[in-house]
Amino acid sequence: MTRVRVEGFTLSLDGYAAGPNQDINNPLGLAGTDLHQWLVPTRTFQRNLFGSDGGTTGIDDDFAARGFRHVGAWILGRNMFGPIRGPWPDLNWKGWWGDNPPYHVPTFILTHHARAPIQMEGQTTFHFVTGGIHEALDRAREAANGMDVRIGGGPSTIRQYLLAGLIDELHIAISPVLLGRGERLFEGIDARALGYECVQFVASEKATHVVLRRQGHDDQPVNQAGRAKPRISI
C-alpha cells in the first residue's frame, strides 16, 4: 500500500523549518543551512548529492537513508524548486540541484503557473501541477506504482497535506540551533487532534530524531536491536 511520508525534515529548537528571506544565495532562507549539520556530512547525503563514497555513518545516516527507501515519487512546493515567484520568466532554471537532482523518480512541483515537464539526469522528471495538493498526490501515487510518496516540503506544503489528513508518517529532525525567525512547520496545527502520535525518538550528537505516525497506520518501527520502539503519545 502506498504511504505518504515526510522524511528528514529539520526544525530548529524554536520551531522554524526555514529562515527568512529566501533567495538565490540562501535557498533555505537566512541561516537555514545551519539546520542541516546532522544531514550534510552523512554518507547518504554525500552519495546522493555529490556522488561521493565518503561520509559519516551511524544514527544520522540511518535516518537519512530511510528517507530514500521505497520512495516512488516526490511532491515539492514551488520554493523547493527555486526562488522564482509568479509566472516563469526564465525556462532555463531547472531547480536548485543542477543537472542530476537527488530525487531519481518522478517529482511533482506545486505551482499556480503551468510549465512543461523537465526530464533531468538520473531518472528525475519534474512535473508542474497547477490543480492543487490533491491532484499532485493522485498523480504522484500513480507514478509511484505501489511505492511510497515523499512530501519534500517546504513547511507550507507539508502543513496543507497535514491539515487534509493525507500524511501517514513524519520523520522530524530537531537541530540544536536557534533561527529566531522564519517559517514554522506546526504553526496553527494541532497534531494531536489530527491523530498523530510519537512512535520513535532517538538522539545523535547533532539532532534528535522523532517519528510521528497518524493513528491507524501502525507499521511498528524497530530499534537497531530489532525490538519494537515504545509508543509515546504527544
Side-chain angles (χ1 to χ4, degrees), residues 116-139:
I118 306 172
Q119 187 170 349
M120 307 293 288
E121 295 178 13
Q123 299 183 315
T124 298
T125 299
F126 291 121
H127 301 272
F128 300 89
V129 181
T130 59
I133 63 170
H134 294 280
E135 178 187 334
L137 183 55
D138 288 343
R139 292 179 59 181

Side-chain angles (χ1 to χ4, degrees), residues 8-28:
F9 200 78
T10 308
L11 300 182
S12 66
L13 285 175
D14 46 355
Y16 294 103
N21 303 323
Q22 181 200 42
D23 59 26
I24 189 68
N25 297 313
N26 297 281
L28 301 175

Side-chain angles (χ1 to χ4, degrees), residues 100-122:
N100 191 358
Y103 307 109
H104 309 302
V105 292
T107 300
F108 296 86
I109 312 297
L110 292 163
T111 177
H112 295 294
H113 301 276
R115 182 172 175 178
I118 306 172
Q119 187 170 349
M120 307 293 288
E121 295 178 13

Side-chain angles (χ1 to χ4, degrees), residues 23-99:
D23 59 26
I24 189 68
N25 297 313
N26 297 281
L28 301 175
L30 295 176
T33 54
D34 292 350
L35 294 172
H36 300 285
Q37 297 175 40
W38 71 271
L39 176 62
V40 174
T42 63
R43 180 173 59 184
T44 296
F45 187 92
Q46 293 295 315
R47 182 177 62 243
N48 280 278
L49 269 295
F50 306 117
S52 170
D53 292 329
T56 60
T57 58
I59 291 171
D60 292 332
D61 186 58
D62 290 343
F63 275 96
R66 66 164 259 166
F68 288 90
R69 295 192 191 109
H70 201 65
V71 172
W74 286 65
I75 295 173
L76 304 175
R78 180 165 170 178
N79 289 1
M80 295 290 291
F81 178 75
I84 305 163
R85 306 294 187 270
W88 300 99
D90 181 4
L91 296 182
N92 291 320
W93 177 267
K94 297 181 180 179
W96 296 108
W97 305 104
D99 293 332

Side-chain angles (χ1 to χ4, degrees), residues 6 9 11 15-18 22 75-80 85 110 112 132-133 151-164 167 170 182-189:
V6 172
F9 200 78
L11 300 182
Y16 294 103
Q22 181 200 42
I75 295 173
L76 304 175
R78 180 165 170 178
N79 289 1
M80 295 290 291
R85 306 294 187 270
L110 292 163
H112 295 294
I133 63 170
I151 310 291
S156 175
T157 296
I158 294 175
R159 283 198 302 270
Q160 291 179 66
Y161 279 101
L162 280 172
L163 289 170
I167 294 177
L170 301 90
E183 189 172 3
R184 297 181 185 271
L185 176 62
F186 290 112
E187 186 75 34
I189 289 179

